[in-house]
Amino acid sequence: MKRKLRMGMVGGGKDAFIGAVHRIAAFMDGKIELVCGAFSINPEISRQSAAELFVAPDRVYADYEEMITKEAQLPEGERMDFLTVVTPNFLHFAPAKMALENGFDVVIEKPMTVTLEEAKELKAVVEKTGRTLCLTHTYSGYPMVKQAKAMVKEGHLGKIRKIVVEYPQGWLSRLSEREGNAGAAWRADPKKSGLSLVMGDIGTHAAHLAEYVSGLKITELCADLSTLVEGRVLDDDGSVLLRFDNGAKGVLMASQISAGEENAVRIRIYGEKGGLEWANEDPNNLIVKMLDQPRQLYRTGNAYNAPYTLSSFATHNTRIPAGHPEGLLEAFANIYRNFAATASAKREGREPSPEELDFPTVDDGVRGMAFVQNVVASNASNEKWTKFEM
Ligand code: NAD
């Protein structure tokens, strides 16, 4: 593209958490600019947020419907190119669908929708319109996660046998939804959050990470969900046994009552010849454990000699020389950069490279919603194994 891509936002005002992270990520490479938004449920907060972000007052809209309708009427050289959806879960589907149908690409937060039906409908709209939808499963943006994926794909570990993925948080150890925490309040409300609190909010990240790194698909599961904080309506803790399509077995733990934990995402994958371990709290490290060999530590940004050379997917998503820490903001920016490169390539009639196409899509969103629905069904069932229905 000979110009920046123009971004609109629904949600992400001064009253929000993740919207600001999206902006940092989107702006990091200088290829995206924010031109419009309906930034908050509260019009005054939306207006203030826009002013602080230097968004022109006539591009601040009352709601997403007005924004999409009016932006679609602007000349091509002015209107937004894509909409970022950073509202609570129940407000993902409608703005995303409307944006796609009006010719805009979409960046959308997880869980993609609140039901599997909505997710499938969104996939049908993406296919019909030919537009690009990017789902922000943050952890798949890290260079060392991409290195892990490449090593599994290249057969470094042999056939994969076991996957252990964990996402413990402690921030819902108290009844925060009744103590004025707005983010906790909508997450704990089934109408706004979906069928499951813990699995929608963070279980989808863990399930995506397991499938992304291994390249395998979950085929069956056995789930145990709990509500461990008295007075809470939805679940806040869950353990799931997994079976994958190559015969591998897995364990997924997602918990928001793991008191004292921050965002302790961790994945371990074991094959016939060795294993890999990656953790969000030490994201520039990939620990490689091969049978009968000393443990190895791969680090982001190094120009190792063969056979330790980092994959093109890891290096494409690395920004600074080894030893300077990269973290969540850069991982998030990698997702935006790959999305923006793909969206631009499509506009120019060019084929995106495999590295540019490496970001979560509507298909991952459908699998995420199927994961939530199947976990909830399994928890309610007396049968040991629930088939992963789509
Ligand atoms: P939040 O409660 O902090 O912010 C929600 C924002 O949406 C607020 O600005 C609110 O005013 C706005 N909003 C609500 N209704 C609106 C409407 N009708 N029109 C316009 N704006 C409206 O929530 P959050 O923590 O930022 O989460 C938002 C989404 O991001 C959720 O789906 C969540 O699951 C997801 N999320 C993802 C990650 C990640 O790692 N990828 C991290 C945090 C949150």
Side-chain angles (χ1 to χ4, degrees):
M1 291 281 274
K2 300 216 166 26
R3 60 168 178 82
K4 293 189 182 203
L5 279 185
R6 293 184 287 264
M7 170 186 186
M9 272 195 132
V10 55
K14 288 166 59 159
D15 53 346
F17 160 47
I18 205 69
V21 174
H22 277 254
R23 286 190 294 271
I24 294 168
F27 301 160
M28 196 175 279
D29 294 292
K31 294 191 171 158
I32 294 173
E33 61 182 328
L34 179 68
V35 295
C36 63
F39 295 100
S40 171
I41 187 73
N42 178 324
E44 181 51 27
I45 292 179
S46 181
R47 201 194 52 71
Q48 283 173 14
S49 309
E52 288 180 15
L53 294 163
F54 305 107
V55 172
D58 62 345
R59 305 284 289 274
V60 186
Y61 301 102
D63 52 43
Y64 74 84
E65 284 157 310
E66 188 196 25
M67 169 159 65
I68 294 167
T69 306
K70 293 208 170 142
E71 286 291 319
Q73 290 162 1
L74 290 177
E76 203 187 324
E78 276 178 49
R79 65 171 171 253
M80 70 172 174
D81 295 302
F82 73 94
L83 177 67
T84 287
V85 181
V86 278
T87 39
N89 304 350
F90 75 105
L91 267 166
H92 290 180
F93 171 71
K97 179 170 185 277
M98 187 176 171
L100 292 165
E101 287 175 341
N102 280 274
F104 301 113
D105 296 320
V106 166
V107 175
I108 189 167
E109 262 303 349
K110 47 46 63 178
M112 189 168 76
T113 53
V114 289
T115 66
L116 178 56
E117 285 62 40
E118 282 179 353
K120 286 183 187 168
E121 197 179 330
L122 212 49
K123 179 175 158 69
V125 177
V126 169
E127 283 167 359
K128 190 169 157 221
T129 58
R131 300 251 57 98
T132 304
L133 182 144
C134 168
L135 178 72
T136 46
H137 274 307
T138 323
Y139 306 101
S140 64
Y142 282 104
M144 285 296 106
V145 168
K146 296 189 183 293
Q147 177 64 18
K149 180 180 174 67
M151 290 173 85
V152 170
K153 192 172 175 195
E154 286 158 12
H156 202 81
L157 310 183
K159 184 180 176 224
I160 299 303
R161 292 170 164 166
K162 183 88 183 175
I163 301 173
V164 182
V165 63
E166 305 155 53
Y167 198 155
Q169 295 180 326
W171 74 290
L172 293 177
S173 295
R174 301 190 187 93
L175 203 57
S176 316
E177 57 268 42
R178 306 255 180 91
E179 293 166 5
N181 183 329
W186 71 254
R187 280 176 173 82
D189 177 349
K191 289 199 287 296
K192 297 184 172 170
S193 195
L195 287 175
S196 165
L197 164 54
V198 72
M199 287 300 159
D201 207 30
I202 56 174
T204 48
H205 274 314
H208 178 260
L209 191 60
E211 290 196 341
Y212 178 73
V213 175
S214 70
L216 301 173
K217 296 276 182 253
I218 300 166
T219 53
E220 285 182 293
L221 50 78
C222 172
D224 179 26
L225 297 176
S226 308
T227 305
L228 294 173
V229 173
E230 213 180 313
R232 181 161 285 148
V233 180
L234 283 171
D235 48 61
D236 48 25
D237 180 81
S239 308
V240 191
L241 296 177
L242 304 169
R243 288 177 166 177
F244 291 89
D245 56 356
N246 76 334
K249 302 295 173 82
V251 183
L252 181 151
M253 182 271 251
S255 170
Q256 295 179 304
I257 50 80
S258 296
E261 291 289 4
E262 293 170 347
N263 285 287
V265 184
R266 185 164 70 133
I267 184 163
R268 287 171 285 167
I269 297 202
Y270 304 98
E272 294 162 320
K273 297 192 279 186
L276 294 172
E277 176 174 344
W278 178 85
N280 180 50
E281 293 185 342
D282 221 347
N284 299 152
N285 287 346
L286 178 65
I287 304 168
V288 180
K289 307 165 188 179
M290 302 307 290
L291 265 181
D292 308 322
Q293 289 182 23
R295 203 166 273 197
Q296 298 165 351
L297 185 64
Y298 283 61
R299 299 262 305 151
T300 305
N302 279 281
Y304 299 130
N305 290 332
Y308 305 104
T309 318
L310 295 176
S311 83
S312 64
F313 289 86
T315 52
H316 172 76
N317 289 285
T318 300
R319 291 150 188 284
I320 41 176
H324 299 297
E326 294 191 23
L328 180 113
L329 298 174
E330 288 86 353
F332 226 113
N334 291 337
I335 293 176
Y336 263 95
R337 186 170 60 178
N338 295 339
F339 154 75
T342 293
S344 301
K346 280 199 198 171
R347 280 162 199 270
E348 292 162 355
R350 181 171 59 80
E351 191 59 36
S353 70
E355 286 82 2
E356 289 171 339
L357 284 167
D358 179 25
F359 60 87
T361 68
V362 74
D363 293 320
D364 299 289
V366 173
R367 283 198 69 76
M369 294 318 299
F371 173 75
V372 173
Q373 183 165 303
N374 286 307
V375 163
V376 170
S378 166
N379 181 60
S381 156
N382 287 325
E383 281 184 7
K384 184 163 177 189
W385 291 103
T386 297
K387 281 218 173 323
F388 194 97
E389 304 283 359
M390 292 280 291

